[in-house]
Amino acid sequence: MADGPSATTSSSAEPARSGLDADALQRDVIDNLICLQARYPAIATPHDWYMALAYSVRDRMLARWVATVQTYAAREVRVACYLSAEFLIGPQLGNNIVNLGIEANAREAMQALGQDLDTLLALEEEPGLGNGGLGRLAACYLDSLATLETPAIGYGIRYEFGIFDQEIRDGWQVEITDKWLQKGNPWEIVRPDVTFYVPFGGRIQNETDADGRLRVRWIPANQVKGVACDIPMLGFRVNTCNTLRLWKSEAVESFDLQDFNAGDYYQAVQEKVISETLSKVLYPNDEPEAGKRLRLAQQYFFVSCSLQDMLRLLDLKGEPTQRFADMFAAQLNDTHPAIAVAELMRLLIDERQMPWDEAWDITGRALAYTNHTLLPEALETWGLPLFRSLLPRPLEIIYEINRRFLDDLRQRYANDEARVARMSLIDERGDKLLRMAHLATVGCHAVNGVAALHSTLLRQTVLRDFAELWPERFHNVTNGVTPRRFMLLCNPELARLLDETVGEGWITDLKRLQGLVAHANDDAFQERWRRVKLLKKEALAGRIRSVTGIVADPGALFDVQVKRIHEYKRQHLNALFIISLYQRLRSNPQLAVAPRCFVFGGKAAPGYAMAKLIIRLINGVAEVVNNDPAVNDRLKVVFLPDFNVKNAHLVYPAADLSEQISTAGKEASGTGNMKFMMNGALTIGTLDGANVEIREEVGEDNFFLFGLTADQVERVRREGYRPADYANSNPQLRDVLALITDGHFSRGDRDVFRPLVENLLQSDPFLVLADYADYVACQERVSAAWQDSRRWTRMSILNTACSGKFSSDRAIGEYCDQIWKIRPVSIALDRL
Ligand SMILES: *Cc1c(COP(=O)(O)O)cnc(C)c1O
């Protein structure tokens, strides 16, 4: 290495830790390799080089971070606090390099050290601190908050084990523990001095204080210590670097001496074990919450730490507690942090001796709630015995909130006890259940859905009574995704073409992509557009081949469905169509069909048997189709294992067709649909979630619409849905189901898929069979459009051109204006 470290003696004037040129970076990488990894170049592993580079990039963020924190502390600013049980932030190195604007320099610096930047980027472990869309949304919002120079903190949980890694064995999903922290996390800065204690269990004691006022004392059985672990969140080409603060649980230093002295050593050890397991593992969603004591403990733990931290920051600023809501706007990402309503009340009343009415006013003004689901089985509830045993004091406060709320309701709706019972925070119909969505709605000043249709349905269904009572409380903020990660970082080839065509400003002003419309029919531009897409398809095909051995033809239509596996998302509807196509090709080998490669990806919750069976079916179909010489020149089916943010970078840019085929009314928004659109994929979809708005933006001619509407779905259900009738009256569908039943996709085993087929024929809760015929017909229109390359390319360009609305910058702008009333604060960077 002639131009190795020794070459750095003739160096630029830029300081090693902050200079953005290649020379300063190179010097810092060597410093960090030696001083932090304790390695020297000749023996450094690729991972050592990754760590050294990551620390060097982090060095360049820290001055911005400190300046940001300082500015927020010194100035009168309102801070958005995004409370979320999940932050699916994805790999950080590439994103931070892009946001700093040092990609070329980083590449040059590493090259000079004999290292390839892309190889190092691929080494980063994904922080899998989320399940899917909800956690990824939180991460996109942090990117936009920083990019828009908005004061913000993300608050969540530092899971030691994130979402499991998925492997496929014999067609089945196998879950592997995610050990993302094993090799260290260079982005994390632990703050042992920022710790809070969170009480659990025990009893309540009523006391009278010196002034003769009644005081409540919670004497917990156990306390858990929360330690702040910070990750810097840098905006795009700005100095703003906000904080993602994740709480790690630790046991309180010493064992409970009383227990110890009483000889109950094991009880004391037990409590310590519980404390340390609290932030161990992320719960996979789509599983029944019932009885998940640890899950409730996690929620309370991170909410309590976060609110205590906000109070600490208020004190640091010298502001009185009364100013809490002026200084903070806390957004609850779904009901997972809804306990914040009771916890903020507890902290204000018990810890800061505030009267109830004043505390209630502050709580309501500080908090806002985002609803993410209408599925009744996904609406969070907790059994009262469990809740009481863990959180006796918060439960008391919830009872008092409910008592006052129901009193008000009875004033307003005299003689309508049914309505009062429906709205109560407690469902008293069977075993008593605490309704977290009601708690959030009552305790927050704003409630929003995540797409126009979802917000409408929310007002009409699950929160109807509340929308009648407080219409002004309800909002819509359609979700968005960050174009930095999902265009610039993962599709630089497209980004370059966009720069040249509409100018560089599009990345922070995505509506400027409209400028592409003028080029949609231009042959030369179309050719360049197709070349970018082909490049991305070749890259995905390369990955598919190395991971699965399947050879995908980049010239084929890439038809992609990647998202969590769930019956409502209907991956099995897609599979039924593939089987019907396969059958048609088998019976008519000369049939002219456009070659297609179907790509699936997504994890099933470990306890969700039907979702796992759908994965098995897709892999069964793949095995048969890919090995049948009669069809495998035209059809390929791929299940790409372990769909996560890192793999997503490869998938979204390579798609021609985006499958968004959920049962109408079930997908709150979807965000995958937006990532596909930005990267020029056409959508085949139902009128569900944000699909409705995507179709509005791009125009109905450029969207493949099929299926029942949400209204029609409800009507079919009301009138008595009989799925078997659809199978009996459609020979093609009948044959498809028969082939599955006969074991054609399970090596002759007729039992494997029985539960799936029986479920479809007998109940089909998500109307797969009702939508089947229309879906197949719509796929015919897709095939026809694909045959006309000019037409397809035009539609592809128009999809990207019209995707501006779906930037998370737009969404965050709406939260700031409508809900948080927060304005940007720019960060000045004094001489580093
Ligand atoms: C965007 C994203 C999702 C959400 O996808 P939907 O299609 O909206 O369900 C899930 N997982 C990952 C890794 C994502 O990037």
Side-chain angles (χ1 to χ4, degrees), residues 88 131-133 136 486 562-564 569 643-645 648 652 660 667 670-673 675:
L88 193 56
N131 275 283
R136 184 54 234 174
F486 290 108
V562 287
K563 49 183 75 241
R564 287 299 292 255
K569 292 177 182 277
F643 182 62
N644 56 17
V645 178
Y652 292 115
Q660 307 300 336
E667 186 77 89
T671 49
N673 47 5
K675 302 170 200 166

Side-chain angles (χ1 to χ4, degrees), residues 285-287 373 375 377-378 561 563-573 601-605 608 610-612 614-615 618 661-663 666-667 765-766 768:
N285 60 4
D286 313 322
E287 282 190 74
T373 184
L375 296 181
E377 67 272 24
Q561 188 171 17
K563 49 183 75 241
R564 287 299 292 255
I565 311 293
H566 201 293
E567 289 166 278
Y568 87 79
K569 292 177 182 277
R570 300 200 294 191
Q571 282 92 353
H572 45 345
L573 175 58
K603 296 173 187 178
Y608 187 176
M610 191 59 76
K612 291 176 130 176
I614 291 173
I615 293 179
I618 293 164
I661 60 178
S662 52
T663 316
K666 300 300 170 193
E667 186 77 89
F766 297 101
V768 172

Side-chain angles (χ1 to χ4, degrees), residues 167-178:
E167 286 183 9
I168 303 296
R169 293 188 201 148
D170 300 327
W172 295 99
Q173 166 175 298
V174 176
E175 299 99 20
I176 314 284
T177 319
D178 161 52

Side-chain angles (χ1 to χ4, degrees), residues 61-357:
M61 298 163 67
L62 292 187
R64 288 165 176 79
W65 197 11
V66 169
T68 303
V69 172
Q70 245 175 5
T71 306
Y72 297 166
R75 291 237 229 127
E76 164 91 20
V77 295
R78 193 171 198 215
V79 180
C81 296
Y82 201 83
L83 272 64
S84 178
E86 304 185 5
F87 285 92
L88 193 56
I89 57 176
Q92 294 297 290
L93 179 56
N95 197 245
N96 289 330
I97 286 175
V98 160
N99 282 10
L100 277 167
I102 57 169
E103 201 209 309
N105 298 350
R107 198 171 288 282
E108 186 189 330
M110 296 320 289
Q111 194 151 28
L113 295 166
Q115 302 299 315
D116 171 51
L117 180 63
D118 297 315
T119 308
L120 300 185
L121 289 174
L123 290 176
E124 182 164 344
E125 277 287 336
E126 166 144 347
L129 308 186
N131 275 283
L134 174 140
R136 184 54 234 174
L137 182 78
C140 282
Y141 282 177
L142 292 185
D143 181 80
S144 284
L145 281 162
T147 298
L148 294 173
E149 304 182 293
T150 304
I153 305 174
Y155 280 116
I157 303 172
R158 180 193 181 270
Y159 300 106
E160 190 175 332
F161 300 103
I163 188 71
F164 61 86
D165 293 335
Q166 178 194 55
E167 286 183 9
I168 303 296
R169 293 188 201 148
D170 300 327
W172 295 99
Q173 166 175 298
V174 176
E175 299 99 20
I176 314 284
T177 319
D178 161 52
K179 298 183 188 145
W180 73 288
L181 289 168
Q182 210 162 45
K183 292 181 174 173
N185 174 10
W187 307 107
E188 172 180 274
I189 290 174
V190 184
R191 308 273 190 202
D193 55 323
V194 181
T195 64
F196 299 98
Y197 293 88
V198 180
F200 287 102
R203 61 198 168 80
I204 310 300
Q205 199 166 290
N206 292 307
E207 295 170 349
T208 315
D209 70 10
D211 303 329
R213 277 178 306 192
L214 202 66
R215 286 286 161 218
V216 177
R217 208 152 80 90
W218 177 3
I219 301 162
N222 173 33
Q223 300 212 63
V224 177
K225 186 163 94 172
V227 180
C229 301
D230 290 350
I231 301 179
M233 292 283 139
L234 178 68
F236 180 78
R237 313 282 158 95
V238 291
N239 292 326
T240 301
C241 186
N242 286 330
T243 302
L244 171 56
R245 177 156 284 178
L246 303 176
W247 301 103
K248 172 170 76 169
S249 72
E250 281 184 5
V252 180
E253 289 82 3
S254 57
F255 290 177
D256 187 321
L257 268 185
Q258 256 176 332
D259 280 342
F260 193 76
N261 291 339
D264 200 351
Y265 176 74
Y266 292 102
Q267 178 63 29
V269 174
Q270 172 84 357
E271 307 279 76
K272 185 174 161 71
V273 169
I274 289 173
S275 309
E276 283 173 350
T277 48
L278 217 146
S279 63
K280 272 270 184 260
V281 59
L282 166 75
Y283 278 94
N285 60 4
D286 313 322
E287 282 190 74
E289 297 279 348
K292 298 252 169 86
R293 190 184 171 84
L294 193 62
R295 167 81 172 171
L296 178 60
Q298 284 182 340
Q299 295 181 354
Y300 183 65
F301 166 74
F302 100 86
V303 164
S304 182
C305 287
S306 307
L307 293 171
Q308 291 186 59
D309 193 41
M310 289 154 72
L311 283 164
R312 179 189 68 102
L313 293 170
L314 198 67
D315 295 343
L316 278 176
K317 280 183 87 128
E319 295 282 356
T321 309
Q322 282 72 14
R323 294 260 292 146
F324 186 90
D326 306 315
M327 307 310 289
F328 296 108
Q331 192 67 32
L332 311 181
N333 195 24
D334 211 339
T335 52
H336 316 141
I339 187 66
V341 173
E343 179 61 2
L344 184 52
M345 287 297 286
R346 184 186 76 82
L347 293 169
L348 295 177
I349 293 171
D350 293 359
E351 312 269 319
R352 304 230 166 181
Q353 283 75 48
M354 194 180 273
W356 180 280
D357 288 331

Side-chain angles (χ1 to χ4, degrees), residues 721-738:
Y721 176 44
R722 290 156 47 113
D725 291 356
Y726 288 86
N728 291 334
S729 63
N730 183 338
Q732 188 191 30
L733 174 55
R734 208 173 45 210
D735 290 352
V736 166
L737 294 173

Side-chain angles (χ1 to χ4, degrees), residues 525-705:
F525 184 75
Q526 281 209 347
E527 189 48 43
R528 297 178 73 189
W529 191 265
R530 278 192 294 268
R531 219 160 27 224
V532 168
K533 183 59 85 179
L534 186 63
L535 218 60
K536 305 314 282 184
K537 290 167 75 174
E538 284 166 354
L540 179 60
R543 173 66 68 83
I544 287 171
R545 184 164 192 174
S546 71
V547 173
T548 68
I550 299 165
V551 179
D553 169 15
L557 191 171
F558 276 25
D559 178 335
V560 184
Q561 188 171 17
V562 287
K563 49 183 75 241
R564 287 299 292 255
I565 311 293
H566 201 293
E567 289 166 278
Y568 87 79
K569 292 177 182 277
R570 300 200 294 191
Q571 282 92 353
H572 45 345
L573 175 58
N574 190 343
L576 294 187
F577 166 66
I578 298 172
I579 296 170
S580 73
L581 197 56
Y582 167 69
Q583 249 176 343
R584 280 172 52 214
L585 277 172
R586 294 262 306 175
S587 54
N588 183 0
Q590 310 315 323
L591 197 70
V593 293
R596 277 210 211 199
C597 177
F598 295 89
V599 178
F600 291 87
K603 296 173 187 178
Y608 187 176
M610 191 59 76
K612 291 176 130 176
L613 197 52
I614 291 173
I615 293 179
R616 178 66 190 85
L617 176 64
I618 293 164
N619 283 306
V621 173
E623 182 180 20
V624 169
V625 168
N626 298 341
N627 293 306
D628 186 338
V631 303
N632 68 7
D633 58 332
R634 283 161 294 173
L635 278 193
K636 283 280 157 54
V637 181
V638 176
F639 190 95
L640 195 63
D642 206 33
F643 182 62
N644 56 17
V645 178
K646 205 169 160 179
N647 291 326
H649 290 173
L650 214 54
V651 172
Y652 292 115
D656 294 305
L657 187 67
S658 158
E659 296 272 353
Q660 307 300 336
I661 60 178
S662 52
T663 316
K666 300 300 170 193
E667 186 77 89
S669 164
T671 49
N673 47 5
M674 302 168 184
K675 302 170 200 166
F676 280 112
M677 183 195 199
M678 288 177 184
N679 285 282
L682 279 58
T683 303
I684 180 167
T686 49
L687 279 181
D688 199 15
N691 295 353
V692 176
E693 290 155 81
I694 285 177
R695 179 165 171 268
E696 253 167 44
E697 293 295 303
V698 75
E700 57 184 68
D701 293 346
N702 303 304
F703 185 105
F704 297 103
L705 178 69

Side-chain angles (χ1 to χ4, degrees), residues 1 30 39 66 120 144 357 378 383 509 514 796 817:
M1 279 199 293
I30 292 295
R39 284 282 158 82
V66 169
L120 300 185
S144 284
D357 288 331
D509 184 9
Q514 273 295 332
S796 168
D817 293 345

Side-chain angles (χ1 to χ4, degrees), residues 10-73:
S10 64
S11 57
S12 73
E14 290 286 310
R17 284 198 191 277
S18 58
L20 296 180
D21 68 10
D23 176 73
L25 254 173
Q26 190 186 331
R27 280 180 285 131
D28 198 17
V29 169
I30 292 295
D31 275 0
N32 287 329
L33 186 70
I34 295 168
C35 300
L36 291 171
Q37 289 301 104
R39 284 282 158 82
Y40 57 94
I43 63 158
T45 64
H47 187 262
D48 289 326
W49 286 112
Y50 158 75
M51 291 292 275
L53 176 59
Y55 281 120
S56 305
V57 170
R58 194 184 84 171
D59 286 339
R60 279 142 187 81
M61 298 163 67
L62 292 187
R64 288 165 176 79
W65 197 11
V66 169
T68 303
V69 172
Q70 245 175 5
T71 306
Y72 297 166

